[in-house]
Amino acid sequence: MRGAAWRISSMIGLVLLILASGNLARPANANGNAKAIAAAAVSVQAAGNVPVIEISAKKYEFDPSPIHVKQGAKVQLKITATDHDHGFKLLPYPDGAAQTGDPGLIFADHQDCWKIEKGQSVTVEFEAKTPGTYTFKCCNFCGFGHGKMKGQLIVDPS
């Protein structure tokens, strides 16, 4: 009887851990990328002549992702932490490229990690010089799924 109680409590703990990670309630969807692109287009606002793309940082995801911008465009990303503190790290070189020479993204104010407090926003401004895929990620530990909290910025050729 004692072993059965231990197994039951272990299974309950495992179920609670899985539910806390938020990975059960996300159905597979063939239109997921199209919806993310459409959401990015809807949330673009103009700040002067620089478009602003609003991104939410929440429980192990950035939404929308991927985000497409044109080569040569100046862009602002406004990232808001909706559930608790997060971070935002975006390297200036495309994925797989050498980390030397001219960067593909020219930041107005580059930081290694932009810290975002719960309910607050940060704005990251850059010019997209080089086509490619740039993976961004959370750089402030936010829980069990932190390592999977990534997104993509895709600079399309002009």
Side-chain angles (χ1 to χ4, degrees):
M1 189 68 171
R2 187 178 196 141
W6 182 86
R7 281 191 295 263
I8 290 171
S9 66
S10 295
M11 287 192 305
I12 290 171
L14 181 59
V15 168
L16 290 174
L17 179 65
I18 291 170
L19 289 174
S21 73
N23 290 331
L24 285 181
R26 182 165 293 262
N29 183 337
N31 294 326
N33 285 344
K35 286 182 179 180
I37 293 167
V42 169
S43 61
V44 171
Q45 301 174 350
N49 291 332
V50 179
V52 177
I53 300 172
E54 295 190 50
I55 303 171
S56 66
K58 59 187 176 210
K59 199 168 191 172
Y60 319 132
E61 71 175 1
F62 290 100
D63 185 38
S65 177
I67 298 166
H68 286 261
V69 299
K70 287 285 187 191
Q71 179 182 9
K74 287 188 178 181
V75 178
Q76 288 183 357
L77 303 178
K78 182 180 178 186
I79 307 111
T80 304
T82 60
D83 56 353
H84 50 87
D85 294 357
H86 289 285
F88 185 79
K89 180 173 186 159
L90 175 61
L91 295 177
Y93 297 96
D95 296 351
Q99 303 289 302
T100 59
D102 292 336
L105 302 177
I106 308 298
F107 293 95
D109 177 28
H110 188 259
Q111 298 180 31
D112 186 50
C113 178
W114 286 272
K115 302 287 184 183
I116 316 165
E117 294 180 12
K118 178 182 176 181
Q120 301 297 311
S121 299
V122 297
T123 300
V124 177
E125 185 172 340
F126 61 88
E127 183 177 351
K129 290 281 197 181
T130 305
T133 300
Y134 299 78
T135 299
F136 52 86
K137 61 184 180 179
C138 181
C139 53
N140 184 55
F141 184 76
C142 58
F144 291 114
H146 168 73
K148 296 179 183 175
M149 188 170 173
K150 297 178 183 176
Q152 290 186 325
L153 170 74
I154 300 172
V155 177
D156 296 315
S158 54

